[in-house]
Structures are given as structure tokens and as C-alpha cells.
Amino acid sequence: MSTTPAKTVKHIFVTGGVVSSLGKGIASASIGRLLKNMGLKVAIQKLDPYLNVDPGTMNPFQHGEVFVTDDGAETDLDLGHYERFLNQPCSRHSTYTSGRIYQTVINKERAGDYHGGTVQVIPHITDEIKQAIRAPVRADPDLDVLITEIGGTVGDIEGLPFLEAVRQFQHEVGRDHVVLCHLAYIPFIRAAGEIKTKPAQHSVQKLREIGLMPDFLLCRSEKKLDKGIKEKLSLFCNVPLAHVIELLDAKTIYEVPLNMQRQRFEGQIAERLRLPQATCDMRDWKLMLQHIRNPKDSITVALVGKYISLQDSYKSVTEAIDHAAWAHRLKANILRFEGEELEKDPQWRRKLHKADCIVVPGGFGKRGFESKVMAARLARESNLPFLGLCLGMQAAVVDFARHVLGLKEAHSWEMDEKTPHPVISLMEEQKAVIALGGTMRLGAFPCQLPRKTSRTSKAYGGKDEITERHRHRPQFNNTYRKACEDAGLLFTGLYVPDANKPEESLVEIIELRDHPFFVATQAHPEFKSSPVDPHPLFKALIGVAYRLRQQQGGGA
Ligand code: GLN
């Protein structure tokens, strides 16, 4: 037996005060990036106090995009920030909601695991929360630091068990191993021309009532905080002056780690946690920011969706477009089209043609679906570069079947169960599924790229196999494969569960044979893009679109 003592993992908790939407996710991700660049092994998780078991069944208008992990968890979009900042995958341990915690406790109670005892918020729910905090540590023995973001705002009733669990956790593992960062809003009252510290003081007071003492106060503010304000915050929030970290509104979220670094935040965290002091090399990050700040030109991308009015509904998609544009030293102008409005707009062709390329993202249900089919058709017929994602691929197949194969009533099973030509149909294993929530084809699946000369294969750098994440129910119907292929639709990515039964393979990526770039995938490649590692399909799309525009002599 080895006698090496188990490594002590350090914990950083991030809470938020005064108002929501302050960017706790970005702050957590930024801290993570700085520590990672100090050579530490970092993971981030989010504990969300709402009662849904996960956001999978929520409308994107409620909660923004649903982010999917490799292991198939349907999660909060903040996990997307964690992945993009850290350029490493999250897992189902990276997210727990009250609903999931309660479900576990209630299942245990039903199974008799509490031996007839009374089951209570304290200790049973708080114990389960502490288990959730330990889960990523158990899953990765090499971990140095776990950052845990607590969703919601301090003072929320539903957040109390989480804060109590953090208090107990800190007591159990010892203060040297735990750092508490509190992100508070410091408002500027325009009429009075003054910055106010009182709301932040009150939110820290709320934390103290629960027995939590913040080590760092992260101050989100639109105006610079002068020394006097910082001293006031330091004295009344009970943190050392140097631990008052100013987070001014940034032009891009990717500046936040550098803003923190300028205040030596990562060094102070390391000191406080007694971690070895190491240089935090952010040269790559700075280079990436230079590309963001100094584009040589711009590119216009049309996004045809249905949850367009909420910025965050397509967060990973718009991020992936930006990353790809930055990689080509371009700035992406994204024209967002609400599908239903586009369907009624007599000018729709002209409007879509203003873009250099079209992206049709994923989605569910009938509303706005025809606009996606229209967009795919326009791109196909007018050689406009196109990338279809999940429902975007299904729409492209429906267009092809209707307008190239002449199957006028072709449709997806999801939109019309009685269609005579279900070119997108329900997968066998999905036919028996009734329950919603975690029951789709979820998570990472391997995908073979059999056609070496295809645009798909070239975009992926000639690899034989890749993996992408999924979140869908229906699928391309293999009955129509031959007819499509004969008419010029190539199947460039396939999921092959059994090499001996090629007929059971699932179509993952399609492209048009005679088109500069018309690629669509059943997967969600946008989840795997990061600014330092843009996704190859998005990069290829933007590259072709820009080249074509230049060849046509078009300006930005
Ligand atoms: N609604 C489609 C399906 O379930 C597409 C899903 C998606 O775009 N994520 O297959």
C-alpha cells in the first residue's frame, strides 16, 4: 500500500450579491483560467438553487441555451463559459441543482436508506450538497483546485441550504483550504454622480449572518472605484484592501482574466490557499485578445433561429461564430432572424443575401421550422456558404427531399407524424420513450469521416474519426439515403455502432456535392469551440465565406 498522503484539494467558492446577472460564471471561469495558467489542475462546477432537476426541460427563453457535456448532462449555459475559458470539458459533476439534490435525498428516503429517521434540510440536504462539492474531486485525483459557483443571489431563500453547506464544508476542511469570493454590484447613481457601497455592504452582512466571511470582494462596477471607495468597502465588508478587486465592465468577456491579473488576484488567491507561487503566463490569451481587438475586416453571418430575442439562447453558436471569425482575423456581424417573421417577410431573400453565409442552429417544434428550410434552400440554390446544426441539418434534408428529389410532402416526423415521406424519422430506441428530461440521444458519440476529399473531412484536418455532442430525438431516415446520394447529397459523417451492420449507421454529417460549402450536422459542434481552439467546421465556414466575398470583390 502506498503511504503517499492524499492530496489536499483547494476550494474556491464564488457567491453573488445585490443583483443577478453580474457575471459570476465569467468571474469563476476567469479565476479558473488564471490558475490553470499557473500550472494548476483546475475544475469548475455550478450549484444552482432552482428546483428543476436540470435545465433540459426548460424553454430557452427561461434559461438561455441548454449546454450539453460529453457525458450527456443537460446543463446551465455557464458551463459553456467554463469550457471556453479553460478549454477543457466539464462533466455531470460540474452542475447540481436543488432539484437534483432533493431527488437524490428523496430516492434514498424511499429506499429506506435513512433507517426510519426524519429526513431534513439540515443535515440531509446539506450533506448531499457537500457530496456534490466532493464529486469532482473524487472523479479526478489530480485536481489542485475546484471552483464552485453558487447560483442565485445571496439573500434568496432557496440558496440558503447551499450557503449553509459551504459554511459546514469550510469548517470541516479548514480555512486554509477554502477561499470565498463574493461578487457584488457597486452601483453608480447618475443623478447624484456617486458610487454607492451600501448594497454590497448589505449583501456581505447577509453572508455573515450565515457564518460566511468573504476573503475577496469582487466589485462589478461601470465606474472606476477610487481609493476612498475601496477603503470603505474594505472596512465595512471586512476584507483587506488588496482583496477588493475591481471588475469594470469589459469590452469582451475575455478581458476579465487580464483585468484580474493586473490586480494580482491569482497571486493573492495562491497566497491565501498556500499554493506554490508560480508565474501566470497569459501570452496565448493576450495574443487571442489582440486578434479580437484588431480585426482586419468583418464578415456577416445570418443566424436563422426562433429564440432570437433572448441573447443567451444561442450563446455557444454565436460564440463559435466569433471564435472562427477571430481565427481569420475578422469581426463577425451576426444578423439574427426570427424564423416566424422571416417566413412572412416578402423581402426575406434580399435580407438573407446581405449575409456572407448562413448558420441554422438547433431547436425544437414546428414554429419557425419552415424558415430554416427556406434558408437552407436559398443557401443551396445560390451557393451561399451554409452550416446547419442539429435541427439545421434536419431542415436542410427536408429542403433537399422536397425540392431536389421532388418529394413535395417530405417532412420531419417531429413536425408532421403523418408525412408520407418522413426523411427525418424517430430512432428505434426513441419510440418507447415517454418521459421528458434526459431521454434524448445525449452527449458525445464518435463519428467516422469516410470521404477523404469532402469539405467535412478537410475541415476536420483529414481525421478518420471525430467526436461531437448530441441532443436530439429524430434522425436522418436511411431509407432515403440512396436517393439523396444519387442526387448529390453526400454523407460525410457517420456514427457506426456496429461495423458488421453498416445499414444501422446513423447519418451525422451531410454536405452538398456541388457547392462551395454546404455542411450540416446532426451534432452540436458549437459546444466544443473555444476562443483559443475554434471549432473546425465554423472555421471552415467563415474561411470559405470570406474568400468567396473577396473573389466577388465585396466589401465588409
Ligand atoms: N428537434 C430536433 C430533434 O429532436 C433537433 C434538436 C436540436 O436541434 N437540438 O432531433
Side-chain angles (χ1 to χ4, degrees):
M1 279 267 293
S2 155
T3 52
T4 326
K7 178 164 162 181
T8 316
V9 177
K10 305 290 183 175
H11 289 264
I12 299 174
F13 291 94
V14 179
T15 55
V18 184
V19 288
S20 58
S21 304
L22 283 182
K24 284 196 302 292
I26 307 288
S28 307
S30 301
I31 299 171
R33 184 73 218 190
L34 289 168
L35 297 179
K36 183 172 176 169
N37 284 28
M38 286 172 84
L40 297 165
K41 181 115 202 276
V42 184
I44 316 183
Q45 70 170 180
K46 180 165 188 188
L47 306 182
D48 252 321
Y50 57 77
L51 284 175
N52 302 63
V53 173
D54 62 42
T57 54
M58 280 195 225
N59 185 323
F61 282 129
Q62 284 284 308
H63 205 257
E65 147 194 293
V66 173
F67 188 81
V68 181
T69 56
D70 277 337
D71 59 357
E74 296 175 284
T75 75
D76 186 272
L77 54 77
D78 268 327
L79 270 72
H81 292 309
Y82 305 163
E83 290 205 4
R84 288 187 283 271
F85 273 69
L86 261 60
N87 198 22
Q88 70 186 36
C90 288
S91 74
R92 52 179 68 244
H93 296 312
S94 317
T95 170
Y96 287 84
T97 65
S98 284
R100 187 171 163 198
I101 301 276
Y102 272 80
Q103 194 178 47
T104 310
V105 170
I106 290 168
N107 287 345
K108 283 188 186 171
E109 185 271 337
R110 295 287 84 182
D113 289 357
Y114 298 114
H115 308 294
T118 308
V119 182
Q120 294 173 299
V121 172
I122 298 169
H124 301 101
I125 294 295
T126 44
D127 279 355
E128 211 53 52
I129 296 173
K130 287 187 282 178
Q131 287 300 323
I133 297 168
R134 291 197 181 96
V137 180
R138 271 197 305 269
D140 183 358
D142 294 329
L143 204 62
D144 294 305
V145 182
L146 175 68
I147 301 170
T148 302
E149 175 191 346
I150 312 287
T153 308
V154 167
D156 295 348
I157 290 176
E158 58 186 13
L160 282 173
F162 288 92
L163 297 174
E164 166 59 14
V166 173
R167 188 197 63 74
Q168 292 177 20
F169 187 83
Q170 184 175 39
H171 179 79
E172 284 162 10
V173 302
R175 282 199 64 108
D176 282 353
H177 304 304
V178 177
V179 149
L180 208 86
C181 299
H182 184 60
L183 176 65
Y185 181 53
I186 317 289
F188 171 70
I189 310 295
R190 211 161 286 280
E194 271 182 69
I195 290 171
K196 292 291 183 190
T197 64
K198 197 65 66 70
Q201 292 180 40
H202 282 164
S203 75
V204 171
Q205 227 166 54
K206 276 264 162 239
L207 274 178
R208 281 205 302 257
E209 277 170 25
I210 314 163
L212 289 174
M213 198 77 90
D215 297 286
F216 289 89
L217 191 69
L218 309 183
C219 305
R220 180 74 198 271
S221 157
E222 59 173 299
K223 289 262 178 235
K224 249 192 117 32
L225 307 179
D226 64 29
K227 189 147 178 282
I229 294 283
K230 283 189 183 169
E231 281 168 353
K232 211 165 158 184
L233 285 165
S234 159
L235 180 65
F236 297 119
C237 297
N238 209 23
V239 296
L241 186 59
H243 287 196
V244 178
I245 307 290
E246 176 180 80
L247 291 182
L248 295 176
D249 294 351
K251 280 213 180 70
T252 134
I253 53 173
Y254 297 109
E255 281 177 2
V256 178
L258 298 180
N259 292 349
M260 290 178 167
Q261 194 184 27
R262 248 174 259 123
Q263 300 168 74
R264 223 181 66 78
F265 185 32
E266 76 291 355
Q268 298 197 66
I269 289 183
E271 266 159 36
R272 170 68 185 71
L273 286 173
R274 305 197 184 175
L275 284 163
Q277 282 289 346
T279 2
C280 176
D281 185 351
M282 294 292 281
R283 272 176 296 184
D284 282 5
W285 201 260
K286 285 181 186 158
L287 191 69
M288 181 253 304
L289 268 171
Q290 260 177 31
H291 289 186
I292 299 179
R293 288 190 193 122
N294 308 302
K296 61 171 189 208
D297 204 345
S298 67
I299 185 96
T300 307
V301 182
L303 183 69
V304 182
K306 81 185 220 191
Y307 314 110
I308 291 295
S309 55
L310 185 75
Q311 279 279 336
D312 279 350
S313 307
Y314 297 106
K315 189 70 193 160
S316 294
V317 177
T318 54
E319 278 282 331
I321 294 171
D322 280 339
H323 306 159
W326 296 333
H328 291 285
R329 310 290 297 271
L330 301 171
K331 179 185 180 319
N333 295 322
I334 302 178
L335 306 177
R336 295 161 178 260
F337 293 98
E338 179 68 44
E340 251 185 335
E341 283 167 24
L342 203 69
E343 285 167 17
K344 291 183 244 146
D345 188 344
Q347 300 288 323
W348 71 273
R349 282 172 197 276
R350 191 182 55 77
K351 287 187 178 167
L352 280 184
H353 260 302
K354 281 195 178 151
D356 300 308
C357 59
I358 299 180
V359 173
V360 176
F364 293 83
K366 218 170 172 160
R367 189 173 70 77
F369 182 71
E370 288 307 318
S371 69
K372 299 187 175 207
V373 179
M374 285 154 59
R377 182 178 187 183
L378 181 86
R380 179 175 56 77
E381 291 178 343
S382 54
N383 280 347
L384 207 55
F386 175 89
L387 182 60
L389 310 167
C390 205
L391 190 63
M393 181 193 101
Q394 299 176 354
V397 170
V398 169
D399 158 54
F400 195 85
R402 283 183 191 167
H403 306 114
V404 179
L405 301 185
L407 307 173
K408 298 217 160 14
E409 291 166 273
H411 222 318
S412 158
W413 166 90
E414 182 183 353
M415 318 302 161
D416 177 6
E417 285 185 35
K418 299 206 174 71
T419 169
H421 296 293
V423 285
I424 303 295
S425 63
L426 202 57
M427 290 183 283
E428 267 319 304
E429 73 257 31
Q430 285 287 343
K431 288 194 176 148
V433 173
I434 305 161
L436 295 178
T439 55
M440 283 186 260
R441 182 173 178 241
L442 284 166
F445 288 90
C447 167
Q448 295 185 3
L449 308 178
R451 289 177 175 264
K452 283 279 155 244
T453 53
S454 66
R455 287 171 185 83
T456 306
S457 179
K458 284 188 189 144
Y460 278 107
K463 289 190 185 136
D464 296 325
E465 189 175 295
I466 48 119
T467 52
E468 292 291 359
R469 297 180 194 171
H470 296 70
R471 182 172 186 252
H472 69 110
R473 236 180 270 282
Q475 173 77 38
F476 180 86
N477 182 344
N478 280 339
T479 319
Y480 294 89
R481 205 136 129 190
K482 171 101 180 44
C484 285
E485 203 148 26
D486 290 347
L489 189 69
L490 306 180
F491 301 99
T492 51
L494 296 173
Y495 170 61
V496 188
D498 185 343
N500 297 319
K501 294 184 188 154
E503 69 285 359
E504 284 181 12
S505 62
L506 298 184
V507 169
E508 293 281 12
I509 311 179
I510 59 169
E511 72 177 55
L512 284 178
R513 191 175 47 211
D514 303 312
H515 192 285
F517 190 93
F518 189 105
V519 176
T521 167
Q522 187 56 77
H524 286 280
E526 67 274 18
F527 293 143
K528 287 179 68 169
S529 184
S530 85
V532 286
D533 195 8
H535 192 281
L537 287 184
F538 284 86
K539 204 169 152 190
L541 169 82
I542 300 292
V544 174
Y546 187 63
R547 200 183 62 234
L548 284 182
R549 196 186 70 205
Q550 288 204 306
Q551 281 166 5
Q552 288 152 9

